[in-house]
């Protein structure tokens, strides 16, 4: 079985209306958005990772020694950046519509840029260098083949995702109610999976905005200078096609590509949610993070070990398998995925899996880097807040 989830989740097409109840509201209307917002998996329990982290540390105190930067990361990033620059050079005279251009973009470019997306994810947790500033600057370097500046903005939104998992209005990894209304169909989900890179890039700014800082400005300036150099300053070595290759690589990395399955696999609920679990008075924890232990972790900094990562964000990618083996009794019975490709396929075609299949909570969490909830960062350490 491609996915380990042997149970079948109750239909995501629930309307909550009785047979003789009110008529279904028109798509896009305020009533429809409100109704679909209620159709997420609302929970009244604490997010599970802090509790499990404390239990693991109590049972295996040695896991705390796994925390800290991984020196190998900077060499892997440098190698992937060099690979992408070389392929951009190689394709400088190859037309955009050529099969070779698209084949290299899909097989090598998308895989490489997905690797760099997740390198920036790793670096956002200060896991490449001990110095926070060195990590910020190195993330800008890792950003170069992605061709669009995003590393500086990603960090505060991503750390807020960790501190505010599932919190409505703070966790920008959650689909909006507006997305649910228009995309919770086979065609809509296919559109979402094809263009999900744009949803992940634009949605955070629609939820709340973080203040612009000098590191954001540096990210933009360096990226624009790099892109301009490819197009105009290095004739004979690069061309406009070189930049198109990098942009295509970034698009395909967040589209219908096997490694893009992790975006959905990490937190969309494929499990059966019982009525008892939905009852606020008797609610049990709902699984909301899911791991994958397959071979694509080799290309993606072990991001598939996602329960492990949320439990211990300070453990780098090379030591997550050690964490898993050390605390195996805590992870053995958790639901997991066996194929990211099948995750995408089932997400699109299974009517019982869709945009609504996310756990939400009303309260808790903190924002990093200011924004509309700046008061909620008062209990953060200074090193955790965006400079």
């Amino acid at each position: 079985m491609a996915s380990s989830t042997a149970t079948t989740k109750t239909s995501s097409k629930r309307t909550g209306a009785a047979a003789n109840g009110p008529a279904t509201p028109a798509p896009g209307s305020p009533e429809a958005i409100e109704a679909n917002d209620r159709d997420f998996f609302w929970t009244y329990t604490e997010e599970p990772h802090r509790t499990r982290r404390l239990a693991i540390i109590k049972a295996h105190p040695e896991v705390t020694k796994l925390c800290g930067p991984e020196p190998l990361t900077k060499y892997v990033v440098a190698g992937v950046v060099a690979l992408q620059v070389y392929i951009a050079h190689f394709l400088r005279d190859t037309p955009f519509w050529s099969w070779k251009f698209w084949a290299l973009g899909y097989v090598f470019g998308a895989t490489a840029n997905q690797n760099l997306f997740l390198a920036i994810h790793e670096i956002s947790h200060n896991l490449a260098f001990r110095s926070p500033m060195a990590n910020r600057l190195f993330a800008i370097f890792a950003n170069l083949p992605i061709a669009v500046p995003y590393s500086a903005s990603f960090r505060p939104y991503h750390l807020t995702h960790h501190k505010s998992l599932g919190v409505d209005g703070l966790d920008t990894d959650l689909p909006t109610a507006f997305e649910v209304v228009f995309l919770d169909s086979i065609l809509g989900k296919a559109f979402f999976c094809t263009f999900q890179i744009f949803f992940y890039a634009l949605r955070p700014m629609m939820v709340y905005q973080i203040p612009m800082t000098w590191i954001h400005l540096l990210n933009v300036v360096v990226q624009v200078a790099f892109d301009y150099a490819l197009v105009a300053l290095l004739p004979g070595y690069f061309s406009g096609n070189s930049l198109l290759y990098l942009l295509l690589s970034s698009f395909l990395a967040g589209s219908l590509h096997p490694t893009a399955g992790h975006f959905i696999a990490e937190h969309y609920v494929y499990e059966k949610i019982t009525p008892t679990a939905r009852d606020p008075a008797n609610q049990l924890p709902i699984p909301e993070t899911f791991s994958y232990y397959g071979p694509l972790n080799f290309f993606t900094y072990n991001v598939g070990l996602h329960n492990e990562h949320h439990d211990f964000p300070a453990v780098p990618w090379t030591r997550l398998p050690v964490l898993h083996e050390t605390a195996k009794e805590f992870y053995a019975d958790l639901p997991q995925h066996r194929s990211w490709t099948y995750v995408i396929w089932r997400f699109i075609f299974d009517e019982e899996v869709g945009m609504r299949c996310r756990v939400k909570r009303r309260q808790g969490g903190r924002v990093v880097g200011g924004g509309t909830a700046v008061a909620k960062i008062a209990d953060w350490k200074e090193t955790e807040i965006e400079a």
Side-chain angles (χ1 to χ4, degrees), residues 88-344:
H89 161 74
F90 179 76
L91 294 175
R92 66 193 182 282
D93 297 321
T94 304
F96 178 74
W97 54 86
S98 166
W99 70 267
K100 182 168 67 173
F101 195 100
W102 282 77
L104 286 174
Y106 189 85
V107 176
F108 291 98
T111 305
N113 275 15
Q114 183 67 252
N115 178 275
L116 292 173
F117 288 152
L118 292 167
I120 292 170
H121 164 262
E122 191 79 2
I123 296 165
S124 73
H125 291 285
N126 292 333
L127 293 178
F129 299 93
R130 293 196 178 277
S131 163
M133 185 53 60
N135 283 285
R136 308 293 181 278
L137 298 176
F138 192 62
I140 294 174
F141 170 74
N143 198 147
L144 292 178
I146 294 170
V148 177
Y150 98 104
S151 65
S153 296
F154 172 80
R155 180 179 180 271
Y157 283 120
H158 179 68
L159 295 185
T160 299
H161 163 67
H162 273 266
K163 291 290 184 179
S164 311
L165 182 64
V167 177
D168 190 38
L170 294 183
D171 185 356
T172 58
D173 190 65
L174 292 165
T176 63
F178 184 83
E179 290 171 57
V180 169
V181 170
F182 287 100
L183 298 178
D184 205 23
S185 65
I186 290 178
L187 288 178
K189 291 184 290 182
F191 179 86
F192 174 77
C193 289
T194 303
F195 298 99
Q196 61 180 311
I197 191 67
F198 296 112
F199 288 92
Y200 283 100
L202 299 176
R203 182 196 297 143
M205 295 181 289
M206 304 302 168
V207 177
Y208 63 87
Q209 295 185 353
I210 57 175
M212 177 72 74
T213 69
W214 71 269
I215 201 73
H216 294 83
L217 181 60
L218 181 64
N219 187 194
V220 172
V221 170
V222 170
Q223 190 65 60
V224 170
F226 177 81
D227 294 349
Y228 181 72
L230 290 183
V231 174
L233 297 184
L234 299 168
Y237 293 96
F238 301 99
S239 69
N241 283 344
S242 301
L243 181 58
L244 284 175
Y245 163 74
L246 297 179
L247 289 169
L248 178 66
S249 297
S250 294
F251 168 73
L252 293 175
S255 184
L256 299 175
H257 189 272
T259 60
H262 82 87
F263 290 122
I264 296 171
E266 289 166 0
H267 296 292
Y268 279 84
V269 180
Y270 283 42
E271 295 290 290
K272 181 178 181 180
I273 304 301
T274 65
T276 300
R278 285 181 171 276
D279 180 2
N282 302 291
Q283 191 175 58
L284 299 173
I286 301 173
E288 52 191 294
T289 304
F290 305 87
S291 290
Y292 157 81
Y293 300 103
L296 291 181
N297 280 305
F298 176 80
F299 301 101
T300 57
Y301 290 91
N302 283 325
V303 75
L305 281 71
H306 215 64
N307 268 301
E308 293 83 346
H309 170 64
H310 270 267
D311 289 350
F312 291 89
V315 173
W317 60 284
T318 53
R319 299 172 210 149
L320 286 175
V322 178
L323 169 63
H324 175 85
E325 288 300 319
T326 302
K328 199 164 187 177
E329 70 273 22
F330 289 90
Y331 298 113
D333 295 330
L334 297 180
Q336 62 181 260
H337 294 288
R338 301 193 186 279
S339 166
W340 280 342
T341 303
Y342 182 69
V343 162
I344 297 173

Side-chain angles (χ1 to χ4, degrees), residues 3 5 7 9 270 342-350 353:
S3 175
T5 53
T7 56
K9 199 180 70 61
Y270 283 42
Y342 182 69
V343 162
I344 297 173
W345 177 269
R346 186 177 169 195
F347 183 82
I348 294 173
F349 292 104
D350 189 338
V353 177

